[in-house]
Amino acid sequence: MTDFFLRPFGWADVPALTAIYAHYVQNTAITFDTEVPGEPAMAEKFGHLLALGHPLIVAEHEGRVLGYAYASFYRPRAAYRFTVEDSIYLHPDETGKGLGKTLLAALLDQSKALGFHQMLAVIPADTENSIRLHEKFGFEKVGLYRQVGFKFERWHDVVHMQKAL
């Protein structure tokens, strides 16, 4: 699909973004959340990102939200304020079509323009498509944490990747 467009988050997006995220909570280990957050919790999270001036990008086609991406602080301490972690979530019908690539490119550009210095990706080790995507954009593997997440009755390793902005 090539006729989607990217735009900033709007409050009317909360239900669609919550539904997209719910799919990943319920069906994958891409997120280590084990319970789906409701719309109020997601709205609070997005409001916090907006208040901090972090990028929050929505992909849309004919009024339908296809996915979203955002950069959030890697850690809350002040010394980390120039380092962000990326998150990208696509509607399950939209994976494998290049949308993640477009969102990540925009997220990198916006994060750099906002003065962030490093972007980190924290990815379950068995999520090869996400690892390959980040490698295409110059992220390097900088760490592997073994068996740090327990979801769906099994342990998951996590790869840390990093890119200078």
Side-chain angles (χ1 to χ4, degrees):
M1 175 179 295
T2 58
D3 53 352
F4 62 86
F5 66 96
L6 302 182
R7 61 171 174 75
F9 165 84
W11 290 109
D13 296 321
V14 170
L17 274 52
T18 301
I20 289 170
Y21 189 68
H23 165 79
Y24 291 96
V25 172
Q26 295 168 331
N27 299 292
T28 77
I30 288 173
T31 174
F32 284 173
D33 274 339
T34 57
E35 294 185 26
V36 176
E39 290 179 17
M42 293 294 281
E44 182 178 342
K45 176 181 187 165
F46 298 141
H48 186 65
L49 289 171
L50 294 175
L52 291 171
H54 288 229
L56 177 50
I57 307 165
V58 175
E60 179 183 315
H61 173 69
E62 296 180 353
R64 180 174 170 258
V65 173
L66 306 179
Y68 65 101
Y70 61 88
S72 58
F73 281 131
Y74 176 64
R75 295 282 186 261
R77 291 184 178 93
Y80 291 112
R81 69 188 174 278
F82 298 106
T83 301
V84 289
E85 178 182 341
D86 72 327
S87 295
I88 303 170
Y89 293 97
L90 307 178
H91 188 283
D93 295 340
E94 301 303 325
T95 61
K97 299 178 182 179
L99 181 57
K101 180 180 175 181
T102 302
L103 281 166
L104 182 53
L107 191 63
L108 286 164
D109 288 345
Q110 289 186 24
S111 296
K112 183 175 182 176
L114 289 167
F116 293 110
H117 181 65
Q118 298 285 330
M119 183 173 282
L120 304 177
V122 180
I123 305 169
D126 60 356
T127 313
E128 283 299 318
N129 58 338
S130 184
I131 293 169
R132 281 193 311 272
L133 172 66
H134 284 81
E135 287 174 337
K136 287 178 185 176
F137 280 88
F139 282 78
E140 296 179 26
K141 291 180 183 174
V142 294
L144 173 67
Y145 296 159
R146 298 192 184 280
Q147 299 184 0
V148 294
F150 189 77
K151 187 173 180 181
F152 300 133
E153 301 304 316
R154 71 180 189 94
W155 289 102
H156 299 272
D157 297 345
V158 172
V159 172
H160 278 226
M161 300 182 78
Q162 182 174 354
K163 177 179 175 59
L165 302 173

